[in-house]
Amino acid sequence: MPKIRTSAIQEWFGRLPGSMGIGNVRYTTSGKCDERSLIKGTQPVTAMKNGSKVAISFNGNVVNTFQLRNEIERKFHDFEYDCDSDLICHKLLIELMKHKDLASAVKACMQEIEGAFSVAGITEKGDFFAFKDPHGIRPLCAGHSPDGSTYVFSSETVSLDINDFERDFELEPGELVTVTNNGFERQKLVNGDRKAFCAFEFAYFARPDSRFDDKYVYEVREEFGRNLVRENLGIVKDADIILSVPETGDDPAMGVHEASGIRWERATRRHRYVTERAFLLLSKDRTSTIDRKVNILGPKVKGKRIIVVEDSIVRSDTTRIIVEKLRKMGAKKVYVFVTFPRIIGPCLYGIDMATYGQLIGSKHSPEEIAEIIDADAVCYQSLEGLVKATGFKKDDLCMACLTGKYPTPLAQRIADVMKKRFQEGYEETGRLYEIEEAAAQAA
Ligand code: SF4
């Protein structure tokens, strides 16, 4: 990933004119991952035509990529698609030119773009706004500075906390919020058939010190741990110590410790300066990064029956390497407790696990996975336990990667078509929503 020094960013900030700004730490779920493409895809992105101009930053993922590309290419002859942020930005500009007012343009986007999109943007007229897709899949909150002079939108509350800002509210699905001289103006533009907030935010993606619906993420993760104990009492009786896979396993490990009374041995330590998220890396880099990132203290695990607490198993690389290390160090038994239930299908909404082939859970049962990674057992949390701990209603959560039930129609059709082909032996050539053939078959 391109590296920019903090001092260079601060120096650049100081030179910027104006009183509004948007930005994004992009997590790539569309387009290419080489350095040139990552730099090109840096947000905010802009679109302009006939004197109209808009800039946006967004979190999420577009599903109907090809349909939008065709529409945009007809209107912008020099349009070059790099990633889905370009699609949202150009689509919004098309609708702004058509409708003239922001609310109508955003409403058309909400109705015609399928996927997850939490967007912050600025128009050439000086509108500062944010909106969420009709299912509210990704988080986005609004807040203000203590003196009321500055208004902000942010994916997570943690960025408000560290700037001493106050959180005002989480945007509703299908809501547009604009900043006016009198503060926030809220408009619900589209009523979706259901809310579908990403359940994976709770298990892995969000920072533990962020809040959703007034609950800190780390509190939910602790409850995941307590629940894993309630669901696996037999195994708990056969364990001497708990280990966590740092750091997303730390909070649930606390819960496992509290509910079982078993010592949480802090014998897995994360290297402070190896900061890559192994989950995001290309497979060739992943194994060596995990090896460098997590140090296990051999004398503390030798001869022990161990519960390893992990947030999720996607490909299984991290868990497999950790179990392997524990075995080499003389662990007597290794049980793996996983807070996120078994992932059986791809995510089409902004988490980069967008094929069946990469998911160990799409092909194997928990027992088979335990055998593959050489664990004595792999215990996934139940769907009911997950839902209960979040405090959300079941139907307000997206759990498509766990259940195969996608909240939007094209995603459901793509997932169904490609699942059948995958089971017949087809090898996926990229993220499902970026395979033209898959989109055509699902259309
Ligand atoms: S499919 Fe899974 S990871 Fe993707 S938005 Fe839904 S719950 Fe989150």
Side-chain angles (χ1 to χ4, degrees):
M1 294 215 190
K3 298 249 181 329
I4 308 173
R5 279 179 297 125
T6 315
S7 56
I9 296 174
Q10 277 165 352
E11 193 269 328
W12 178 70
F13 272 156
R15 283 189 280 123
L16 289 175
S19 59
M20 286 182 219
I22 50 175
N24 181 298
V25 183
R26 184 168 171 242
Y27 163 60
T28 317
T29 58
S30 80
K32 297 192 188 122
C33 293
D34 60 277
E35 186 144 337
R36 186 200 147 272
S37 306
L38 290 175
I39 291 170
K40 257 198 113 198
T42 305
Q43 298 186 23
V45 291
T46 55
M48 61 182 110
K49 192 168 182 162
N50 303 338
S52 297
K53 190 170 178 184
V54 65
I56 63 132
S57 268
F58 111 105
N59 175 24
N61 191 64
V62 171
V63 176
N64 56 340
T65 311
F66 291 97
Q67 180 201 326
L68 289 171
R69 260 173 91 165
N70 290 341
E71 181 188 349
I72 292 165
E73 278 163 3
R74 282 198 302 275
K75 304 249 164 45
F76 293 80
H77 298 299
D78 54 352
F79 177 72
E80 266 186 57
Y81 169 81
D82 277 302
C83 58
D84 54 359
S85 353
D86 295 323
L87 297 178
I88 296 191
C89 194
H90 282 80
K91 175 67 178 164
L92 182 58
L93 185 62
I94 289 171
E95 298 303 330
L96 275 169
M97 291 190 307
K98 203 190 290 174
H99 298 281
K100 306 293 180 211
D101 75 290
L102 181 65
S104 307
V106 169
K107 185 173 178 180
C109 287
M110 287 178 181
Q111 288 167 329
E112 292 174 38
I113 300 174
E114 176 170 331
F117 42 96
S118 286
V119 179
I122 298 174
T123 66
E124 93 286 350
K125 290 186 198 142
D127 298 310
F128 180 33
F129 60 92
F131 62 90
K132 245 189 202 187
D133 66 82
H135 294 89
I137 297 172
R138 297 273 149 233
L140 186 61
C141 65
H144 67 274
S145 62
D147 65 2
S149 65
T150 310
Y151 291 88
V152 293
F153 300 105
S154 170
S155 290
E156 296 191 28
T157 57
V158 65
S159 67
L160 305 184
D161 293 346
I162 60 173
N163 285 295
D164 277 341
F165 279 30
E166 284 170 35
R167 172 186 178 272
D168 288 312
F169 55 89
E170 179 73 23
L171 269 72
E172 290 293 320
E175 186 177 40
L176 165 69
V177 181
T178 39
V179 177
T180 70
N181 289 336
N182 302 319
F184 292 116
E185 186 183 298
R186 305 180 64 174
Q187 289 170 275
K188 178 94 171 170
L189 301 180
V190 173
N191 285 312
D193 52 347
R194 54 167 289 210
K195 185 173 166 181
F197 186 78
C198 170
F200 199 48
E201 293 276 356
F202 287 106
Y204 172 80
F205 211 61
R207 267 185 53 159
D209 44 344
S210 279
R211 270 175 294 162
F212 298 134
D213 272 7
D214 289 329
K215 245 189 190 180
Y216 281 105
V217 170
Y218 84 86
E219 295 177 297
V220 174
R221 289 181 185 164
E222 285 179 356
E223 184 57 19
F224 287 163
R226 288 189 281 269
N227 193 52
L228 274 162
V229 171
R230 291 190 283 268
E231 292 180 352
N232 297 284
L233 286 172
I235 285 181
V236 169
K237 281 191 196 128
D238 192 43
D240 303 313
I241 56 168
I242 298 159
L243 294 183
S244 61
V245 178
E247 293 170 349
T248 36
D250 291 346
D251 296 315
M254 179 62 159
V256 176
H257 161 68
E258 281 177 349
S260 66
I262 300 172
R263 178 174 168 76
W264 174 18
E265 189 71 64
R266 308 302 305 272
T268 45
R269 294 292 169 165
R270 185 179 158 148
H271 192 308
R272 192 182 288 173
Y273 303 112
V274 181
T275 52
E276 296 105 323
R277 286 170 124 177
F279 175 72
L280 309 184
L281 294 171
L282 304 176
S283 60
K284 65 178 166 40
D285 303 325
R286 209 174 293 128
T287 306
S288 66
T289 298
I290 296 162
D291 251 339
R292 282 185 292 131
K293 199 155 117 174
V294 181
N295 184 26
I296 303 177
L297 313 182
K300 296 287 179 192
V301 302
K302 191 168 180 202
K304 296 277 177 15
R305 297 168 301 169
I306 301 166
I307 291 174
V308 177
V309 186
E310 171 69 295
D311 57 81
S312 55
I313 297 181
V314 178
R315 300 167 183 87
S316 85
D317 295 340
T318 308
T319 330
R320 183 178 48 76
I321 291 167
I322 288 188
V323 176
E324 196 179 295
K325 282 185 166 190
L326 289 171
R327 294 282 189 210
K328 270 196 206 141
M329 289 168 173
K332 199 162 144 197
K333 283 194 177 171
V334 184
Y335 301 113
V336 183
F337 278 16
V338 194
T339 60
F340 200 56
R342 183 165 59 111
I343 299 171
I344 59 162
C347 175
L348 283 78
Y349 303 123
I351 302 290
D352 202 15
M353 43 185 198
T355 63
Y356 286 97
Q358 73 193 105
L359 305 171
I360 192 167
S362 72
K363 297 164 282 203
H364 298 287
S365 67
E367 294 73 25
E368 288 168 342
I369 295 170
E371 208 178 318
I372 292 165
I373 66 172
D374 195 24
D376 290 283
V378 171
C379 308
Y380 286 100
Q381 178 164 219
S382 65
L383 284 176
E384 295 70 31
L386 173 92
V387 173
K388 198 160 173 229
T390 64
F392 275 53
K393 285 193 233 130
K394 188 173 173 205
D395 289 343
D396 286 349
L397 286 170
C398 174
M399 296 192 287
C401 53
L402 308 174
T403 61
K405 294 193 175 72
Y406 291 78
T408 63
L410 181 61
Q412 183 71 63
R413 291 198 298 276
I414 292 177
D416 289 347
V417 164
M418 296 312 279
K419 183 177 179 182
K420 188 161 175 289
R421 297 197 63 188
F422 175 71
Q423 286 166 343
E424 289 163 359
Y426 170 83
E427 279 190 31
E428 295 140 317
T429 51
R431 303 175 183 117
L432 298 191
Y433 40 83
E434 292 184 327
I435 303 174
E436 195 158 7
E437 194 193 340
Q441 282 190 26

